[in-house]
DNA sequence: ATGCCGCCCGTAGGGCGA
């Protein structure tokens, strides 16, 4: 049975609702993880998605952050936030779908290396290491997908020299990403697509999308048991070219479940 | 150059994203 999971930072679910609905109709993934809802849970358009056959688990918040998971299959064991970490920002949501633990993440941006937000990002990532390890122990089949706000290597950066040492590519951030790989997770896109240069985010400014000045910061990390079933992972650039787009575009992973 | 663009809140323009 083919089974597809996707992730998309929509930068406001209110503004992007119609684009997400149209994209779901076309691609019909089994699961879609959303980040940056920028709206409280009660403002989430549950009914519009239900009409397309999708259930939703939502952890929203006014103005900033907010994550959700849409699924064509029953959602079980819905769990927002990281246990034991008092974070006021809604950035994590876990569910179980078809026997797979699916974790939607919106990792902090960090602003710049001298910012308090960067300190928060590194503290948050330290907490997330323990969380990811505990999930993997409890669920051999795990997928952690979302906006990581980390470009893991220079192959994920349009101009590595210009970006050198900056937030999203700094050594401490990349070290945390590598720790996830060391836990046993695979970067599905990199594992299945070789050294292909492809981006999932382009700045709104400076015609960055038209000039393909992007970063690959949205990722689908999978446990070994899921990696065995992974067939293709690709980035759908099309939504980034729509009118009034998100600055991110979807990443899709296709599995073949036994 | 600390802005470029877009969204939120709220109804002007600052905070924030990446």
């Amino acid at each position: 049975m083919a089974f597809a999971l996707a992730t998309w930072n929509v930068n406001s679910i209110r503004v992007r609702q119609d684009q997400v609905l149209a994209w779901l109709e076309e691609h019909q993934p089994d699961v879609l993880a959303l980040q940056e809802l920028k709206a409280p849970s009660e403002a989430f358009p549950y009914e519009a998605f239900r009409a397309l056959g999708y259930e939703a688990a939502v952890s929203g918040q006014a103005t900033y952050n907010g994550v959700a998971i849409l699924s064509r299959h029953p959602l079980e064991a819905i769990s927002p936030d990281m246990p034991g970490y008092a974070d006021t920002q809604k950035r994590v949501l876990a569910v179980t779908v078809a026997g797979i633990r699916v974790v939607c993440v919106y990792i902090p941006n960090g602003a710049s290396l001298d910012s308090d937000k960067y300190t928060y990002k590194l503290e948050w990532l330290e907490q997330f290491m323990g969380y990811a390890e505990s999930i993997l122990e409890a669920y051999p089949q795990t997928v952690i997908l979302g906006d990581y706000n980390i470009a893991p290597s220079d192959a994920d950066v349009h101009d590595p020299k210009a970006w050198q040492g900056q937030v999203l590519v700094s050594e401490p951030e990349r070290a945390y990403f590598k720790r996830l790989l060391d836990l046993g997770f695979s970067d599905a896109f990199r594992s299945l697509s070789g050294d292909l240069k492809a981006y999932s985010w382009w700045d709104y400014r400076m015609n960055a999308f038209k000039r393909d000045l992007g970063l690959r910061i949205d990722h689908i990390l999978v446990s070994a048991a899921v990696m065995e079933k992974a067939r293709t992972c690709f980035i759908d650039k099309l939504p980034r070219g729509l009118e009034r787009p998100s600055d991110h575009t979807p990443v899709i992973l296709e599995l073949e479940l036994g």
Side-chain angles (χ1 to χ4, degrees):
Chain A
M1 177 186 79
F3 192 93
L5 303 107
T7 178
W8 192 1
N9 177 324
V10 292
N11 185 19
S12 167
I13 188 60
R14 273 189 279 253
V15 174
R16 235 65 66 189
Q17 176 179 339
D18 290 347
Q19 289 183 21
V20 177
L21 289 166
W23 192 85
L24 282 175
E25 274 202 288
E26 185 180 348
H27 293 268
Q28 307 205 4
D30 295 276
V31 172
L32 175 61
L34 302 172
Q35 303 86 38
E36 280 210 86
L37 303 179
K38 293 188 170 178
S41 299
E42 55 269 29
F44 192 85
Y46 289 93
E47 283 307 322
F49 289 109
R50 189 170 296 137
L52 289 186
Y54 287 87
E55 275 188 50
V58 181
S59 183
Q61 173 184 349
T63 314
Y64 303 120
N65 311 307
V67 287
I69 298 173
L70 300 167
S71 170
R72 301 170 65 187
H73 312 280
L75 292 166
E76 302 163 55
I78 298 168
S79 175
D81 306 319
M82 283 189 262
Y85 181 46
D87 189 3
T88 58
Q89 305 188 17
K90 296 302 184 187
R91 297 180 173 278
V92 176
L93 178 62
V95 301
T96 299
V97 182
I100 301 171
R101 194 62 171 163
V102 177
V103 184
C104 174
V105 290
Y106 175 45
I107 292 177
N109 170 276
S112 64
L113 267 58
D114 58 359
S115 164
D116 291 344
K117 296 189 181 71
Y118 184 73
T119 307
Y120 165 66
K121 181 177 194 172
L122 296 185
E123 286 172 0
W124 196 99
L125 282 163
E126 186 62 39
Q127 291 289 325
F128 192 69
M129 296 302 114
Y131 176 72
E133 187 171 17
S134 68
I135 292 278
L136 190 56
E137 281 169 8
Y139 304 93
Q141 296 199 104
T142 293
V143 175
I144 305 177
L145 74 176
D147 178 0
Y148 281 69
N149 272 318
I150 301 171
S153 79
D154 285 352
D156 305 308
V157 181
H158 66 87
D159 186 348
K161 277 186 184 170
W163 275 89
Q164 190 163 22
Q166 297 203 55
V167 75
L168 310 185
V169 309
S170 76
E171 189 278 331
E173 295 166 78
R174 286 179 166 178
Y176 276 115
F177 191 86
K178 186 172 182 304
R179 276 176 64 181
L180 292 172
L181 304 184
D182 291 342
L183 283 175
F185 288 100
S186 296
D187 174 350
F189 180 84
R190 199 45 85 208
S191 299
L192 293 167
S193 302
D195 57 3
L196 182 67
K197 268 209 148 189
Y199 311 124
S200 65
W201 170 84
W202 298 260
D203 201 303
Y204 282 121
R205 297 166 289 188
M206 308 293 287
N207 276 318
F209 181 61
K210 280 184 183 168
R211 298 159 67 199
D212 201 26
L213 308 180
L215 301 178
R216 192 175 70 93
I217 55 176
D218 299 87
H219 307 296
I220 303 181
L221 266 58
V222 303
S223 65
V226 175
M227 193 63 217
E228 285 175 13
K229 297 165 179 172
R231 295 296 175 263
T232 59
C233 185
F234 62 97
I235 298 172
D236 180 12
K237 284 179 72 169
L238 210 143
R240 184 63 181 81
L242 297 173
E243 222 172 293
R244 236 186 152 189
S246 169
D247 46 353
H248 297 250
T249 210
V251 184
I252 303 100
L253 171 66
E254 294 174 336
L255 307 176
E256 185 59 40
L257 299 183

